[in-house]
Amino acid sequence: MATLLPSFPHALSKPHHLQHSHVAAASTRPEAPSAAPNPASSRLRRLIARDDLAEAARLVEHSTSRGEAPDVYLCTKLIRNLCRRGRTSDAARVLRTAEASGAPVDVFAYNTLVAGYCRYGRLDSARRLIASMPVPPDAYTYTPLIRGLCDRGRVGDALTLLDDMLRRECEPSVVTYTVLLEAVCKSSGFGEAMNVLDEMRAKGCTPNIVTYNVIINGMCREGRVDEAREILNRLSAYGFQPDTVSYTTLLKGLCAAKRWEDVNVLFAEMVEKNCVPNEVTFDMLVRFFCHGGRVERAIEVLQQMSQHGCTATTTLCNIVINAICKQGRVDDAFEFLNNMGLYGCNPDTISYTTVLKGLCRAGRWEHAKELLDEMAWRNCPPNEVTFNTFICILCQKGLIEQAIMLIEQMPDYGCSAGIVTYNALVNGFCVQGRLDSAFELFNNLPCEPNTITYTTLLTGLCHAERLDDAAELLAEMIQKDCPLNVVTFNVLVSFFCQKGFVEEAIELVYEMMEHGCTPNLITFNTLLDVITKDCNSEEALELLHGLVSKGVSLDTITYSSVVDVLSREDRIEEAIQILHAVQDMGMRPKAVMYNKILFALCKRCETDQAIDFLAYMVSNGCMPNESTYIILIEGLAQEGLLKEARYVLSDLYSRGVLNKSSVEDWH
């Protein structure tokens, strides 16, 4: 990092918002005063001014057919206006007509059409146009196409286009390089992006504040916030002052790392240096503080918004209300709701529904009903979402009769019960084991049941072990063309696995795929779990290889199950190979996976190797847990090294690594 920082060149540049206007301006040639405008040009100008673009395009074609070359500036303006309305084919026809007339069509006209193609996703058309241009392209020709490719994740194609650009001796601009730098940061990481920066400097292109902001963002995305902070501190040495984007980006990185004190320090510095925070800054801070459980700090930030010319939105206040309710402080949430006017906004239905949900979670049903009435007279009437929230929680709490009464009141508020409402009731009945009531409601639904309805009933039948009824309901679901989803199948797969019907579960997974439903990790982890419990490592490995060959993205839970069965079958070397494969895929195995291998090594009485493996575990950034140490202590004892085992036990207890109960259990 020390070598990286001084290498950034010094330069002055326009702010980010001026960068884009500069691009736009460069794509349209300024109008030169005409000594004697001809009548066709005057008419063309009027048609463009009153937005009669179809007639303007016809006039260009008519003038050309009479052997008159149209005004290139006006044609460029017409092309731009057509592109803005998505009529890129008409714009291309105007350009071809101008070319055919012999008019001196310049790079500005081509740039305008290229930008239009890119705006509407016609990247191949833009590329063909650039390749066929009779005039030398410039940076403004290529940059929209490079941006379009990057936005679609086609970074490799964008880099190839940059090579083409350099081959045609067209110097990329700082905007071109910055677009690429940002895309490479996102797709390949900050390290790869530095290659683009090195090439940028080698070509004599000076980074601007936007470039540095992209670098700061790339570092923060990878958790390298201290290095990002160092870049921000050095910006003045490069000829820039940090702007709102610089500070907001670094603040976001610090928030993501939960470095709250550093967030407070940096925000204070931002204000002190007269770098005005904007709505984006405040919105980001409030969201992160709420997500991190620091609601009081979020409220403080809201209170500061007006001091900087910003106004809180109802949406932002609703996030605060939700965070307060999650802490169980429903009265404080209600008080905040009543004081929203102090922040320049008014509560909406979502505000009230959030507080209502908090009251329901706290079991304060009477207060919830009062709030429902208050919503109506405060001219913020409850909607179906409000009622469904209330009804769902009542059903979850087993208060089904109260939920039914509330459904009966819905028409009084201009609301009607739908399938979401009835699904809540069906679920409530199933949770209570009242399957007959659930099916009575199901058979008399005033609306069509959906996948959730059937899946809820299937879950209830499986819990009641009514397998024949579940099979019959599944057949009805298929017959009625109600789409089966992965959740539906997972309910049945889980039931079969719990009962030990592994073959049936695997058969169901194949049937699942026949219905066009792709199994997910839950499906496979459920199967692997039951297979590995039977100590069937061959089946587990076969399933694992099948998943990999099908391109399924697996997680550490999947691999941990396989490591477990291999370790229990004393196939430790293969288990370690699986662990290495997990690491090679960029995943970080958790302590539970290491512990399975450690246990197998100790069971073999290979404690020395187990200790070496523990060192390997720590060196890979995985800290041992209490189970890790207990496994090693028991391994030492198993080898007859009781004195050493007791010493390690006492030492770990004295350092607070093991609790008293663990020590007593071992003795």
Side-chain angles (χ1 to χ4, degrees), residues 238-486:
Y238 308 144
F240 302 100
Q241 289 303 317
D243 61 9
T244 303
V245 176
S246 316
Y247 277 107
T248 301
T249 303
L250 184 52
L251 282 167
K252 185 178 179 180
L254 290 168
C255 284
K258 298 189 184 331
R259 290 172 53 173
W260 306 117
E261 288 306 313
D262 290 333
V263 170
N264 293 335
V265 169
L266 185 64
F267 185 70
E269 176 189 309
M270 180 182 185
V271 173
E272 183 185 337
K273 292 193 173 180
N274 294 320
C275 184
V276 182
N278 58 18
E279 279 83 358
V280 175
T281 315
F282 286 111
D283 187 278
M284 180 272 299
L285 287 172
V286 169
R287 287 174 188 271
F288 267 106
F289 281 133
C290 286
H291 185 69
R294 303 175 69 85
V295 181
E296 301 308 321
R297 185 70 184 99
I299 294 172
E300 288 174 10
V301 170
L302 275 178
Q303 292 167 345
Q304 289 179 277
M305 289 183 72
S306 60
Q307 300 169 21
H308 300 282
C310 298
T311 305
T313 63
T314 300
T315 301
L316 199 57
C317 287
N318 288 345
I319 291 169
V320 176
I321 291 172
N322 187 52
I324 297 172
C325 286
K326 280 185 175 179
Q327 293 182 347
R329 297 160 50 197
V330 188
D331 292 326
D332 291 339
F334 188 66
E335 183 182 352
F336 183 88
L337 181 143
N338 288 329
N339 292 327
M340 278 175 64
L342 298 175
Y343 305 107
C345 55
N346 296 312
D348 60 7
T349 303
I350 296 173
S351 316
Y352 281 101
T353 301
T354 306
V355 175
L356 184 104
K357 185 177 179 180
L359 289 167
C360 290
R361 294 278 185 211
R364 294 167 59 177
W365 309 112
E366 291 305 316
H367 289 133
K369 289 174 185 175
E370 289 172 10
L371 186 62
L372 205 61
D373 293 332
E374 183 180 323
M375 289 178 71
W377 61 260
R378 280 189 180 270
N379 200 28
C380 195
N383 57 20
E384 279 81 2
V385 175
T386 313
F387 277 102
N388 288 339
T389 300
F390 203 162
I391 290 162
C392 281
I393 298 174
L394 283 168
C395 290
Q396 288 166 9
K397 299 286 185 180
L399 303 171
I400 298 177
E401 280 65 33
Q402 289 192 40
I404 292 170
M405 289 172 59
L406 198 59
I407 291 172
E408 291 169 353
Q409 294 175 25
M410 288 179 72
D412 298 340
Y413 295 89
C415 299
S416 58
I419 192 59
V420 175
T421 320
Y422 292 113
N423 282 346
L425 274 182
V426 169
N427 184 58
F429 283 130
C430 288
V431 168
Q432 289 189 340
R434 296 166 60 183
L435 287 176
D436 291 339
S437 298
F439 273 96
E440 184 181 350
L441 175 61
F442 172 71
N443 292 326
N444 293 285
L445 280 176
C447 50
E448 283 295 315
N450 62 12
T451 305
I452 295 172
T453 321
Y454 280 102
T455 302
T456 304
L457 288 168
L458 282 168
T459 304
L461 290 170
C462 286
H463 285 160
E465 299 192 12
R466 289 167 56 176
L467 191 57
D468 291 340
D469 291 336
E472 187 178 325
L473 186 65
L474 184 64
E476 178 187 322
M477 188 177 179
I478 294 168
Q479 182 188 352
K480 291 191 174 180
D481 289 328
C482 183
L484 288 80
N485 63 17
V486 67

Side-chain angles (χ1 to χ4, degrees), residues 2-238:
T3 56
L4 170 67
L5 290 172
S7 64
F8 290 129
H10 303 241
L12 293 170
S13 100
K14 297 182 180 179
H16 185 44
H17 66 281
L18 293 181
Q19 296 278 339
H20 292 293
S21 62
H22 186 44
V23 173
S27 64
T28 307
R29 178 188 359 85
E31 182 177 9
S34 176
N38 63 49
S41 293
S42 299
R43 186 173 173 228
L44 182 58
R45 190 188 308 275
R46 288 194 300 272
L47 289 170
I48 294 171
R50 65 172 184 250
D51 211 27
D52 191 350
L53 304 184
E55 186 59 33
R58 281 193 290 271
L59 178 59
V60 170
E61 291 179 356
H62 181 65
S63 298
T64 302
S65 66
R66 292 187 305 172
E68 297 176 7
D71 185 291
V72 174
Y73 168 77
L74 292 176
C75 283
T76 303
K77 195 171 184 180
L78 177 57
I79 291 167
R80 182 195 64 196
N81 290 3
L82 286 166
C83 287
R84 283 177 177 173
R85 286 154 184 77
R87 296 166 59 181
T88 51
S89 296
D90 292 338
R93 194 156 46 249
V94 170
L95 181 65
R96 286 196 298 270
T97 303
E99 286 176 326
S101 72
V105 180
D106 54 25
V107 70
F108 299 103
Y110 291 100
N111 288 356
T112 303
L113 183 54
V114 167
Y117 278 144
C118 293
R119 187 180 299 120
Y120 289 96
R122 296 183 59 182
L123 304 186
D124 291 338
S125 297
R127 199 161 193 167
R128 284 194 296 271
L129 179 60
I130 292 172
S132 65
M133 282 173 60
V135 294
D138 59 20
Y140 301 105
T141 315
Y142 281 96
T143 300
L145 181 52
I146 287 174
R147 187 188 299 278
L149 291 167
C150 289
D151 288 345
R152 287 157 182 80
R154 296 168 57 184
V155 182
D157 290 341
L159 291 169
T160 300
L161 192 62
L162 178 70
D163 292 338
D164 178 60
M165 190 176 180
L166 295 169
R167 236 183 348 262
R168 295 179 72 170
E169 297 184 349
C170 177
E171 289 297 324
S173 69
V174 63
V175 177
T176 315
Y177 277 117
T178 302
V179 167
L180 278 167
L181 189 69
E182 184 172 24
V184 174
C185 266
K186 289 178 181 177
S187 66
S188 306
F190 179 74
E192 285 297 317
M194 287 301 94
N195 294 330
V196 177
L197 186 66
D198 290 340
E199 182 173 333
M200 179 180 182
R201 294 201 312 268
K203 296 294 181 184
C205 186
T206 306
N208 61 17
I209 187 63
V210 183
T211 316
Y212 289 116
N213 287 343
V214 166
I215 292 166
I216 290 170
N217 186 49
M219 288 177 167
C220 288
R221 282 167 64 94
E222 295 184 11
R224 298 163 63 176
V225 287
D226 290 321
E227 294 170 79
R229 174 63 150 142
E230 204 171 339
I231 291 286
L232 185 135
N233 291 342
R234 290 175 178 254
L235 279 177
S236 58
Y238 308 144

Side-chain angles (χ1 to χ4, degrees), residues 496-614:
F496 283 137
C497 287
Q498 285 171 15
K499 295 300 174 185
F501 304 148
V502 183
E503 295 300 325
E504 289 82 352
I506 293 171
E507 186 179 333
L508 188 62
V509 171
Y510 286 119
E511 185 180 337
M512 178 180 184
M513 291 188 283
E514 285 174 10
H515 282 90
C517 187
T518 305
N520 62 11
L521 268 177
I522 295 172
T523 320
F524 293 122
N525 286 345
T526 303
L527 281 174
L528 269 173
D529 186 55
V530 71
I531 290 170
T532 54
K533 278 178 182 173
D534 291 337
C535 287
N536 194 331
S537 58
E538 288 305 323
E539 278 194 34
L541 286 170
E542 185 181 341
L543 181 59
L544 182 69
H545 292 145
L547 298 180
V548 172
S549 66
K550 285 182 171 61
V552 177
S553 296
L554 306 178
D555 62 5
T556 53
I557 296 172
T558 315
Y559 289 104
S560 188
S561 296
V562 179
V563 166
D564 182 32
V565 69
L566 288 170
S567 298
R568 281 189 282 126
E569 292 188 1
D570 200 31
R571 298 169 64 176
I572 300 174
E573 289 72 20
E574 291 173 80
I576 292 172
Q577 285 177 6
I578 295 287
L579 184 136
H580 288 159
V582 170
Q583 292 170 324
D584 291 343
M585 286 183 281
M587 291 187 278
R588 296 182 66 178
K590 295 182 180 178
V592 65
M593 193 183 296
Y594 285 100
N595 288 350
K596 293 176 193 302
I597 297 172
L598 279 168
F599 182 78
L601 288 167
C602 289
K603 191 176 176 182
R604 270 190 189 177
C605 295
E606 295 180 359
T607 313
D608 288 342
Q609 288 192 43
I611 292 170
D612 290 341
F613 190 72
L614 173 65

Side-chain angles (χ1 to χ4, degrees), residues 651-667:
D651 183 56
L652 291 172
Y653 175 64
S654 67
R655 288 193 279 152
V657 176
L658 299 181
N659 59 44
K660 189 176 181 181
S661 63
S662 298
V663 175
E664 289 172 349
D665 290 344
W666 195 82
H667 281 298

